[in-house]
Amino acid sequence: MELALFTQAGIYFLAKWTHFLAGITWIGLLYYFNFVQGPFFNETDADTKKNATQKLVPRALWWFRWGAMITFLSGWTMILMNLYAGLPIDAQWTVIIGVGGIFGTIMWANVWFVIWPNQKVVIAKAKGETTVDPAPNANRAFVASRSNVLLSIPMLFFMGAAKNLIFRYNSSNALIFFAIAVVIALIIEVNALVADQNGPTVKPIKTVKNVIISGFALSAILYVVLELVLAS
């Protein structure tokens, strides 16, 4: 008897299940850092913050970065499996999920190559392992983390829209829409890599309220572009 989980469809399901579990872990901790821990650190006393940075933050960041890694790997595994099975690269699912995948890939890169390296310096300072001023590192990690929150809202919109949003689809314009979405994402990423948290380009996402509003606004803009370009 053939077991369903050991068929090609079963392997795809396992990749999706893994993607869900890891994604919930990753994005849940992203929102925890930005919506809960950050405001708490701003209000608490120095000793409490130092103790949490030494003992709580490293544990949370371990789950955070490996959740991001597994989400990234399982997500692209699903996309590649569909392409290998013959799904056209300009098909609606491929294009829409591809936009979400690009957003997620940028977020994954921020976790591993911006947030985590800079947070290691902050943690080392709290543990007394370095005398380096961690303020610039904390700033860079903050801006990258806020940018990930901004990107996460449209990313999840496109992940859900790939199979659940029905609209007129013109595959001849697929590359145009994909290119527009990628350019927007890259502009946000460049800003995340160079902006200061007190600079004008970070003000729209600096507070919890504003980053949530900005995320939904970006989702709405991309949706309008989607309808105008892909449905034309």
Side-chain angles (χ1 to χ4, degrees):
M1 181 181 69
E2 185 178 41
L3 298 177
L5 283 178
F6 294 98
T7 63
Q8 184 173 343
I11 294 172
Y12 183 84
F13 166 76
L14 287 175
K16 179 177 285 190
W17 184 40
T18 301
H19 191 66
F20 286 165
L21 289 171
I24 290 168
T25 302
W26 175 23
I27 302 303
L29 282 168
L30 173 68
Y31 293 162
Y32 159 76
F33 285 133
N34 283 273
F35 303 161
V36 180
Q37 180 179 288
F40 170 74
F41 276 11
N42 289 335
E43 297 174 0
T44 194
D45 61 273
D47 287 341
T48 300
K49 181 178 179 179
K50 181 178 179 181
N51 192 43
T53 303
Q54 291 175 341
K55 300 173 183 178
L56 171 65
V57 174
R59 289 181 173 90
L61 282 171
W62 189 93
W63 288 99
F64 178 65
R65 67 182 184 274
W66 286 108
M69 179 65 77
I70 296 171
T71 304
F72 168 75
L73 293 175
S74 57
W76 282 105
T77 294
M78 288 189 291
I79 292 174
L80 293 174
M81 286 182 70
N82 274 289
L83 293 175
Y84 180 78
L87 187 67
I89 199 166
D90 61 352
Q92 177 178 327
W93 182 90
T94 312
V95 173
I96 302 303
I97 208 74
V99 171
I102 291 297
F103 278 43
T105 298
I106 291 172
M107 292 168 59
W108 162 81
N110 279 337
V111 170
W112 277 89
F113 305 115
V114 183
I115 297 172
W116 171 233
N118 282 288
Q119 284 290 357
K120 284 196 290 186
V121 177
V122 176
I123 293 168
K125 176 63 175 179
K127 291 182 176 180
E129 297 172 352
T130 181
T131 58
V132 173
D133 178 12
N137 303 93
N139 171 73
R140 183 55 51 220
F142 172 83
V143 176
S145 188
R146 276 291 199 267
S147 299
N148 271 11
V149 173
L150 173 65
L151 290 170
S152 72
I153 297 175
M155 177 198 73
L156 292 170
F157 175 87
F158 283 103
M159 292 294 182
K163 280 192 175 181
N164 298 292
L165 183 63
I166 308 301
F167 58 93
R168 291 176 299 154
Y169 180 76
N170 184 351
S171 62
S172 63
N173 292 337
L175 184 59
I176 297 174
F177 171 70
F178 189 81
I180 292 172
V182 170
V183 168
I184 291 173
L186 289 176
I187 290 172
I188 293 170
E189 176 60 9
V190 169
N191 184 67
L193 296 176
V194 303
D196 183 89
Q197 70 167 292
N198 295 315
T201 58
V202 178
K203 286 183 179 179
I205 60 173
K206 186 170 183 178
T207 67
V208 171
K209 177 182 176 181
N210 283 354
V211 75
I212 293 172
I213 292 173
S214 297
F216 280 103
L218 178 59
S219 301
I221 291 169
L222 287 168
Y223 171 68
V224 170
V225 173
L226 180 152
E227 289 282 13
L228 291 175
V229 176
L230 287 185
S232 62

